[in-house]
Amino acid sequence: YGLVMAAYQGDMKFSTGSLTGYKMVILSGGNVGIGTNAPGGKLESYITSGGEKGLRLNSNFAGGNTVDFIPAIVGVSNAGFSIDLAGSTKVVIGSTGLVGIGTNNPAYILDVYETTSNIAIFRSTATNYARVIIRAGASGDAQLSFQESTTTKWTIGNDGGDSDKFK
């Protein structure tokens, strides 16, 4: 058959090879489905196996890249989301909401992993001050710990139970 296009009750359905197993639909209300006959949003890309790319953005110019949005964390969990750049996973959001940058298996709300010595830089163009805020609960201690491997070597912070003394 080649390309088969059918219109039924205001919907448009596209198939390749036969009239069954539609590849794409445009419903009369405007929702577009790829891989599904019943898209639940303006655009829904439905995949049936883990690691399949849900959406790919591709540029065709010098230095361009591909960005893949995958509704799974390949090799870790089907209940997550990952963004790949040029075939390498860069950011994941796990099923519990934990975010990983440089790691596919985040253990904290924000888990950043880097193999070089510079992990992050915070920049400000403000002329009066720049700050990073670490906030604890009403009676907790706000702390910053320095670790070697997983052993804490130094901790600085305030003691919320002792008149907010520096410790």
Side-chain angles (χ1 to χ4, degrees):
Y1 281 98
L3 173 66
V4 177
M5 186 173 76
Y8 178 72
Q9 294 180 342
D11 298 341
M12 290 182 67
K13 299 183 178 188
F14 300 85
S15 182
T16 55
S18 71
L19 289 175
T20 60
Y22 296 111
K23 304 294 184 191
M24 184 176 85
V25 299
I26 302 173
L27 300 181
S28 60
N31 289 1
V32 176
I34 301 170
T36 178
N37 292 334
K42 290 294 179 191
L43 175 62
E44 181 176 341
S45 172
Y46 183 80
I47 62 174
T48 58
S49 65
E52 211 174 324
K53 290 146 182 62
L55 175 64
R56 171 171 272 190
L57 304 177
N58 200 344
S59 59
N60 186 18
F61 53 84
N65 248 325
T66 58
V67 179
D68 296 317
F69 297 87
I70 304 168
I73 302 173
V74 178
V76 177
S77 170
N78 285 337
F81 179 80
S82 61
I83 300 173
D84 289 9
L85 179 63
S88 175
T89 302
K90 300 300 180 187
V91 177
V92 301
I93 302 173
S95 61
T96 60
L98 303 180
V99 176
I101 299 173
T103 177
N104 287 357
N105 204 2
Y108 302 95
I109 291 171
L110 176 61
D111 193 342
V112 179
Y113 181 81
E114 176 58 56
T115 57
T116 64
S117 53
N118 295 323
I119 295 173
I121 185 169
F122 300 92
R123 300 173 190 228
S124 172
T125 58
T127 57
N128 50 353
Y129 62 88
R131 64 182 172 190
V132 175
I133 298 172
I134 300 173
R135 181 177 294 160
S139 62
D141 298 343
Q143 299 180 348
L144 179 63
S145 294
F146 298 84
Q147 294 185 336
E148 182 179 300
S149 186
T150 58
T151 303
T152 299
K153 299 293 186 174
W154 294 91
T155 299
I156 58 173
N158 76 304
D159 189 341
D162 189 14
S163 304
D164 289 331
K165 291 182 180 173
F166 184 73
K167 66 176 185 178

